[in-house]
Amino acid sequence: MNRNPVLDPTLQEILQVVKPTRADWDTRISVLDQLRNVLQSVESLRGATVQPFGSFVSNLFTRWGDLDISVDLFSGSSILFTGKKQKQTLLAQLLRAMRASGLWYRLQFVIHARVPILKVVSGHQRISCDISIDNLEGLLKSRFLFWISEIDGRFRDLVLLVKEWAKAHDINNPKNGTFNSYSLSLLVIFHLQTCVPAILPPLGEIYPRSAVDDLKGVRKTAEESIAQLSAANIARFKSGSSRSVNRSSLSELLVSFFAKFSDINLKATELGVCPFTGRWENISNNTRWLPKTYSLFVEDPFEQPENAARSVSRKNLDRIAQVFEMTSRRLATDSNRNSIIGVLTAPHISQSLVRTTNVQNHHHHANGARHPHSLQGQARPWNHQMQQNWSPSNNIQNPPYWPGPARPRPQQNWSSQNNPRNMQQGQAPFQGQTRPVMTQTQTQQQQQKSQYKNGKQPMTNVPSGSSQSQGQIGKPPGQVNGVSFARPAGPISQSQRGQVWRPRG
């Protein structure tokens, strides 16, 4: 394959815009805290926990991504089935409480969906949220996608690019008969399984059966068992000395992705996408998929034989194939940066790239360094040391954010050890502690900074070696329409590690 010299740097520019920054993480964490406050006003939901899942947990969300939330009920140490009627009743009560709070808008109750959900938008942060009850399956699938992203970093980059491309061409909306984001992630997995040499293994080699079927019995035991087996198999795959290494660039993988599915409408009449086996499977020979009633079959490898692409209609499948084919052709031949951006992104992305480029050109230094304030996302916004294992017996890492239990977090004193002024740059405070309130000394420092900006000399000088001049001063707790919130941050303590796979109760 002849490599397009413009494509790789253009893809990196797009990723810098769409990857979430620390502020994007903090915004979503504040939304979760806001929902926890609402739960306390619903008698039947007191004691329930708020658990994010989906792309936020799998680390596959973009700066504009939605937030999937599961309200987990307390039901002892065992996994108990929560009926659809009960979920509908609880969500109706939550809906009334959210309306009464005045902190949410565009509230929509999708009561008859396969999984009943509340669709809302947080009034302050403007984050779209899908709220469900006891969505253990969604939590499990999110963790699997996170583990897969740890095998090869190109998987995450491809998913982010494909999701933005699909939104730009209006084929990432299951309500309109096209892909949901989960099925797009599975298509990327399948592509990396079927390229030569393969980058990802068949998912049956990571977990040998439908993982959702093993969510039974004691929750903590079941989930840790799934994690341990998956961790061992992932480690075995990554350490395989006989495995050929695929060194394809991101642009080569993206072009071949679009080429692979450019005739998906024709293949779908006989073949299904099966990430579990890592192969195209003949539908007529697969008894789990019959009778076939779907235009496209993308088997959910963690909840077999469910079809993750069941929303795709026949009419839209033909249009989807045309978009795949057009994109493949354009990326293979077009060497114009702006044209490539137009094919892969929606207008708000391309406009952001133009603004960023203009700023960089205006402030470009003689040595070619980027302007320090240019917009760049973070591939891994959390500290590596903050990633903890589920238990000492596991070698598999947690997704980046695991919320604490739904209980008030008291204000704690800041010792010299974890004072934000004494932290290294980029280090987050320990989990469970709120940010300190501004002291009088810190307020004076802020005034001095304002005087500098206004061209005035500050009233007093702070010695360069003093503790007051080191690090960054923490911000006071924020408020959302009068409701205080504090961001959980930093590493999970020894006493909190059990909260990752905590039994309900």
Side-chain angles (χ1 to χ4, degrees):
M1 178 187 301
N2 294 326
R3 182 179 299 186
N4 185 340
V6 179
L7 187 52
D8 266 312
T10 303
L11 296 183
Q12 293 305 319
E13 288 185 77
I14 295 173
L15 288 170
Q16 286 178 355
V17 174
V18 303
K19 283 182 177 178
T21 64
R22 169 64 78 178
D24 297 314
W25 286 85
D26 290 349
T27 297
R28 284 158 178 79
I29 291 172
S30 70
V31 172
L32 297 171
D33 283 344
Q34 187 173 311
L35 181 59
R36 290 189 183 101
N37 290 332
V38 176
L39 287 188
Q40 300 307 310
S41 66
V42 182
E43 182 67 30
S44 58
L45 291 175
R46 287 180 184 171
T49 60
V50 174
Q51 300 281 0
F53 67 100
S55 60
F56 183 62
V57 168
S58 62
N59 197 25
L60 299 175
F61 77 102
T62 65
R63 300 188 65 203
W64 302 273
D66 297 345
L67 183 59
D68 295 308
I69 305 172
S70 173
V71 176
D72 283 5
L73 308 177
F74 277 69
S75 56
S77 61
S78 298
I79 298 174
L80 300 180
F81 175 75
T82 305
K84 188 172 182 178
K85 288 287 186 182
Q86 183 182 1
K87 291 181 179 180
Q88 292 171 341
T89 300
L90 293 173
L91 287 175
Q93 296 172 359
L94 179 58
L95 174 62
R96 289 192 291 270
M98 297 179 79
R99 280 178 175 160
S101 72
L103 302 178
W104 311 82
Y105 70 107
R106 293 185 186 172
L107 293 92
Q108 178 186 1
F109 191 4
V110 187
I111 189 172
H112 296 300
R114 178 171 172 261
V115 177
I117 60 172
L118 283 181
K119 300 182 75 69
V120 302
V121 176
S122 61
H124 179 71
Q125 303 90 347
R126 299 295 190 268
I127 300 296
S128 299
C129 306
D130 288 350
I131 305 172
S132 52
I133 301 290
D134 273 347
N135 200 330
L136 302 186
E137 295 85 358
L139 290 165
L140 181 64
K141 295 173 188 179
S142 306
R143 289 159 181 162
F144 267 108
L145 291 181
F146 176 77
W147 300 335
I148 292 168
S149 72
E150 292 292 284
I151 297 176
D152 194 292
R154 290 172 290 185
F155 167 66
R156 178 176 184 249
D157 287 346
L158 282 173
V159 170
L160 296 183
L161 291 169
V162 167
K163 286 167 69 171
E164 286 301 325
W165 161 82
K167 291 175 183 176
H169 294 278
D170 195 26
I171 57 174
N172 186 198
N173 189 345
K175 292 189 298 184
N176 294 336
T178 57
F179 291 114
N180 58 41
S181 294
Y182 180 55
S183 61
L184 288 172
S185 298
L186 293 180
L187 287 182
V188 174
I189 289 175
F190 185 76
H191 175 54
L192 298 183
Q193 292 170 331
T194 52
C195 59
V196 181
I199 295 175
L200 294 178
L203 297 190
E205 294 183 10
I206 294 179
Y207 199 78
R209 52 193 173 273
S210 179
V212 168
D213 292 341
D214 288 343
L215 283 176
K216 55 189 176 183
V218 178
R219 177 172 177 177
K220 183 176 181 180
T221 302
E223 294 178 324
E224 286 191 344
S225 175
I226 293 172
Q228 291 172 5
L229 180 56
S230 302
N233 289 332
I234 289 174
R236 185 180 301 110
F237 173 77
K238 294 175 69 173
S239 63
S241 57
S242 60
R243 181 169 62 94
S244 300
V245 178
N246 187 313
R247 304 191 185 279
S248 298
S249 67
L250 184 62
S251 63
E252 290 171 332
L253 290 174
L254 187 63
V255 171
S256 58
F257 170 82
F258 292 125
K260 181 171 295 180
F261 297 110
S262 60
D263 60 347
I264 193 171
N265 56 334
L266 302 179
K267 289 179 178 176
T269 58
E270 296 181 358
L271 301 176
V273 175
C274 188
F276 185 78
T277 62
R279 298 191 304 266
W280 294 96
E281 296 286 352
N282 194 300
I283 295 172
S284 61
N285 295 337
N286 195 322
T287 57
R288 296 181 308 179
W289 296 354
L290 295 175
K292 179 183 179 296
T293 57
Y294 301 107
S295 301
L296 174 64
F297 211 107
V298 179
E299 186 182 55
D300 188 334
F302 313 116
E303 191 176 6
Q304 303 161 25
E306 290 295 330
N307 180 13
R310 58 185 172 272
S311 62
V312 177
S313 67
R314 179 70 235 181
K315 177 181 177 180
N316 279 305
L317 185 58
D318 291 331
R319 182 172 66 88
I320 288 170
Q322 293 174 1
V323 176
F324 269 107
E325 191 279 329
M326 178 275 296
T327 307
S328 172
R329 175 170 35 83
R330 290 281 297 276
L331 294 189
T333 59
D334 201 330
S335 298
N336 182 278
R337 169 189 175 274
N338 293 338
S339 178
I340 292 172
I341 292 174
V343 170
L344 293 178
T345 67
H348 71 282
I349 302 290
S350 57
Q351 293 169 6
S352 177
L353 283 170
V354 170
R355 287 196 300 267
T356 303
T357 302
N358 291 338
V359 170
Q360 292 174 352
N361 291 338
H362 181 70
H363 296 281
H364 196 276
H365 295 288
N367 60 5
R370 287 182 181 270
H371 186 258
H373 299 297
S374 61
L375 178 61
Q376 295 188 30
Q378 298 179 6
R380 192 173 296 263
W382 62 95
N383 192 306
H384 280 282
Q385 296 176 353
M386 293 166 61
Q387 299 181 62
Q388 305 290 335
N389 295 333
W390 285 350
S391 68
S393 61
N394 287 331
N395 291 321
I396 198 163
Q397 294 174 331
N398 280 338
Y401 168 66
W402 294 105
R407 62 173 184 267
R409 289 186 296 280
Q411 179 78 28
Q412 299 186 13
N413 295 326
W414 290 81
S415 64
S416 59
Q417 176 184 358
N418 59 8
N419 191 306
R421 291 179 295 167
N422 299 330
M423 288 182 177
Q424 297 178 353
Q425 186 174 4
Q427 182 179 355
F430 297 124
Q431 180 154 347
Q433 295 172 327
T434 56
R435 299 187 181 195
V437 178
M438 297 283 284
T439 65
Q440 183 177 0
T441 302
Q442 294 169 348
T443 304
Q444 293 172 351
Q445 290 179 330
Q446 295 294 334
Q447 294 172 351
Q448 292 170 10
K449 291 180 179 179
S450 299
Q451 290 172 339
Y452 270 126
K453 292 180 180 179
N454 297 330
K456 299 178 182 179
Q457 193 70 14
M459 295 295 294
T460 59
N461 294 323
V462 179
S464 61
S466 69
S467 61
Q468 295 179 7
S469 65
Q470 297 175 5
Q472 298 181 356
I473 299 174
K475 297 179 180 179
Q479 287 195 341
V480 180
N481 294 348
V483 178
S484 299
F485 63 85
R487 176 177 65 88
I492 300 174
S493 65
Q494 185 70 31
S495 62
Q496 293 171 323
R497 292 184 182 179
Q499 296 169 5
V500 173
W501 286 99
R502 177 176 294 282
R504 290 177 290 173

